[in-house]
């Protein structure tokens, strides 16, 4: 077994859904799987021990944000991002491409790379692809992402063509700059909503024989139906023996349909962001725990959920904490919301292994 490998365990007989294991130096990731987002080397409001209790296996951090604060040198001196944040499981760092390109008026992009003003102190930062990889090599996550240009939605075909071509050329430079064999470099398929550009990009990236592949540039404002079309057109062209990662997607519907197309890994800030707004995910629905109907409801948030929150606290208590502006509310809701999304993808994985995915999850697929 190499440091990184994807082991296919089962395939759905009615869809392209698959169950597998992605092996990393810090342990296996059982796919399909939702990955919590820990942008600044922490998943907001909860501890690594609580993350493990949520059944999390792989956690994300962000290169752009960690470069700005506290800096990759400090994290490297601490022994890498795993030790720095106290997380012993697999980790992935995004390249920061999306964050850089979301700065719009604060950055410029050329074939050489991106230049932007730090939103923290205004200093000028140059970020060629090589620099993004150098930072990620210092951070030390198991999976690192290539630096890509993420076109906005909507964008003209010409703008997307330029960004897609630049992303491919930057990927080749990322491959040359990558220095660590204990880190897997994933390429990112761009192409906006233009399916022919997506398909051409997927074919080009597949030829490079990378350890894994991602579909990026979705969930940037386009409707869910367009995301689904992009995933369905792109996924079959990605290598079947490598993990496939759909970036920035974390709703039940979008994950279920992407899994049916053959995707494996997902991430989204939804669970902790909802929690900070007093909202819970329950069976795929968003519940606003501020509502008066919960004030005297002494039942668990979700009786079918085994998370710490649902096993120990009532809806009335959570409603009370939110109205009292107690920080514990955010922790308890984050624990439940993360558990909910991981539980959903774990249930899909079990259904695929039993070849019951199309039947059991028909309500999300139809």
């Amino acid at each position: 077994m190499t440091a990184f490998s994807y082991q296919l365990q089962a395939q759905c007989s009615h869809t392209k859904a698959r169950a597998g294991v992605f092996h990393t130096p810090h342990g296996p990731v059982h796919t399909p799987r939702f990955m919590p987002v820990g942008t600044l080397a922490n998943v907001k409001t909860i501890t690594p021990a609580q993350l493990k209790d949520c059944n999390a296996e792989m956690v994300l951090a962000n290169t752009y944000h960690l470069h700005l604060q506290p800096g990759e040198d400090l994290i490297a001196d601490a022994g890498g991002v795993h030790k720095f944040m106290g997380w012993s499981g697999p980790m992935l760092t995004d390249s920061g491409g999306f964050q850089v390109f979301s700065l719009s008026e604060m950055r410029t992009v050329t074939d050489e790379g991106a230049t932007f003003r730090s939103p923290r102190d205004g200093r000028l930062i140059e970020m060629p692809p090589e620099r993004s990889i150098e930072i990620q090599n210092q951070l030390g996550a198991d999976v690192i992402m290539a630096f890509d240009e993420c076109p906005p939605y909507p964008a003209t075909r010409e703008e997307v063509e330029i960004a897609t071509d630049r992303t491919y050329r930057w990927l080749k430079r990322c491959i040359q700059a990558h220095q660590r064999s204990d880190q897997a470099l994933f390429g990112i398929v761009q192409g906006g909503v233009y399916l022919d550009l997506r398909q051409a990009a997927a074919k080009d990236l597949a030829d490079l024989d990378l350890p894994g592949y991602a579909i990026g540039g979705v969930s940037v404002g386009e409707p869910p139906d367009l995301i689904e079309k992009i995933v369905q057109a792109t996924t079959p062209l990605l290598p079947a023996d490598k993990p496939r990662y759909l970036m920035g997607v974390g709703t039940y519907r979008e994950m279920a349909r992407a899994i049916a197309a053959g995707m494996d890994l997902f991430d989204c800030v939804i669970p902790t962001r909802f929690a900070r707004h007093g909202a819970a995910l329950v069976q795929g629905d968003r519940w606003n725990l501020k509502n008066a109907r919960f004030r005297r409801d002494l039942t668990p948030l979700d009786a079918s959920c085994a998370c710490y929150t649902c096993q120990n606290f009532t809806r009335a208590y959570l409603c009370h904490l939110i109205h009292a502006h107690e920080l514990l509310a955010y922790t308890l809701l984050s624990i439940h919301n993360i558990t909910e999304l991981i539980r959903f993808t774990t249930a899909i994985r079990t259904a695929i292994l039993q070849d019951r995915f199309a039947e059991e999850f028909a309500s999300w697929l139809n």
Side-chain angles (χ1 to χ4, degrees):
M1 186 75 66
T2 60
F4 296 95
S5 64
Y6 175 77
Q7 176 189 358
L8 179 66
Q9 294 180 308
Q11 290 181 287
C12 174
S13 59
H14 300 285
T15 71
K16 297 176 181 176
R18 59 194 205 157
V21 183
F22 176 40
H23 296 277
T24 80
H26 283 87
V29 182
H30 297 86
T31 65
R33 198 81 181 183
F34 176 80
M35 305 179 292
V37 176
T39 302
L40 281 162
N42 79 294
V43 177
K44 292 187 185 299
T45 74
I46 66 175
T47 69
Q50 290 167 328
L51 267 180
K52 286 187 179 295
D53 288 342
C54 294
N55 206 22
E57 288 187 344
M58 193 169 199
V59 176
L60 275 68
N62 184 268
T63 301
Y64 164 82
H65 288 288
L66 291 177
H67 173 61
L68 296 181
Q69 173 67 37
E72 62 277 7
D73 291 343
L74 173 61
I75 294 176
D77 289 345
V81 68
H82 291 88
K83 290 184 178 180
F84 188 61
M85 69 176 286
W87 174 254
S88 60
M91 286 199 69
L92 180 152
T93 45
D94 191 1
S95 68
F98 174 79
Q99 285 72 27
V100 169
F101 294 105
S102 68
L103 295 172
S104 61
E105 297 178 0
M106 297 175 63
R107 51 86 176 156
T108 58
V109 182
T110 67
D111 286 344
E112 181 56 32
T115 303
F116 60 96
R117 292 281 178 188
S118 167
R120 289 183 174 271
D121 56 18
R123 64 190 170 97
L124 192 65
I125 298 175
E126 295 183 353
M127 188 70 71
E130 294 84 356
R131 182 70 180 117
S132 174
I133 297 300
E134 179 186 1
I135 294 170
Q136 293 187 81
N137 284 166
Q138 286 186 270
L139 295 176
D142 299 272
V143 173
I144 66 175
M145 303 303 298
F147 193 63
D148 60 328
E149 181 173 2
C150 181
Y153 176 82
T156 67
R157 182 182 177 90
E158 181 181 7
E159 290 171 331
V160 175
E161 283 180 336
I162 292 172
T164 304
D165 180 63
R166 184 174 282 151
T167 292
Y168 178 68
R169 287 183 281 112
W170 282 0
L171 171 58
K172 288 190 170 181
R173 290 165 57 184
C174 289
I175 294 171
Q176 290 295 318
H178 185 33
Q179 297 294 318
R180 292 181 58 165
S181 61
D182 61 343
Q183 292 181 299
L185 172 63
F186 281 25
I188 303 174
V189 177
Q190 291 290 352
V193 298
Y194 302 97
L195 300 187
D196 60 323
L197 296 182
R198 288 279 183 179
Q199 291 171 327
K203 292 177 181 177
D204 287 342
L205 266 63
D207 289 340
L208 297 176
D209 191 28
L210 297 167
Y213 295 85
I215 297 176
V218 296
S219 289
V220 292
E222 71 276 45
D225 287 348
L226 270 180
I227 296 176
E228 185 177 348
K229 288 179 180 178
I230 290 167
V231 172
Q232 289 180 341
T234 306
T235 306
L237 302 174
L238 300 177
D241 61 342
K242 305 293 176 66
R244 301 162 174 167
Y245 165 31
L246 182 59
M247 305 178 75
V249 166
T251 68
Y252 271 37
R253 177 184 184 273
E254 290 173 347
M255 288 196 296
R257 296 189 176 196
I259 289 168
M263 296 303 294
D264 304 309
L265 298 169
F266 307 88
D267 80 284
C268 191
V269 297
I270 280 177
T272 52
R273 179 173 290 173
F274 278 13
R276 295 194 302 279
H277 288 85
L281 288 165
V282 181
Q283 305 296 322
D285 293 329
R286 177 176 178 173
W287 288 9
N288 183 358
L289 271 297
K290 297 176 184 177
N291 287 347
R293 69 186 179 99
F294 295 114
R295 282 187 180 272
R296 301 188 64 82
D297 188 339
L298 298 177
T299 60
L301 180 58
D302 181 352
S304 70
C305 179
C307 81
Y308 173 77
T309 301
C310 292
Q311 292 298 306
N312 291 279
F313 304 101
T314 64
R315 298 171 183 179
Y317 181 66
L318 294 170
C319 181
H320 155 66
L321 291 178
I322 293 165
H323 282 284
H325 304 290
E326 287 289 341
L327 298 182
L328 180 60
Y330 311 137
T331 297
L332 295 179
L333 288 175
S334 292
I335 288 172
H336 169 76
N337 290 347
I338 290 171
T339 301
E340 179 80 4
L341 292 181
I342 293 174
R343 187 166 67 128
F344 180 70
T345 52
T346 302
I348 289 180
R349 172 183 164 79
T350 299
I352 295 170
L353 291 170
Q354 297 173 352
D355 201 16
R356 296 178 55 84
F357 169 61
E359 175 184 348
E360 291 186 7
F361 291 85
S363 61
W364 298 105
L365 299 176
N366 295 333

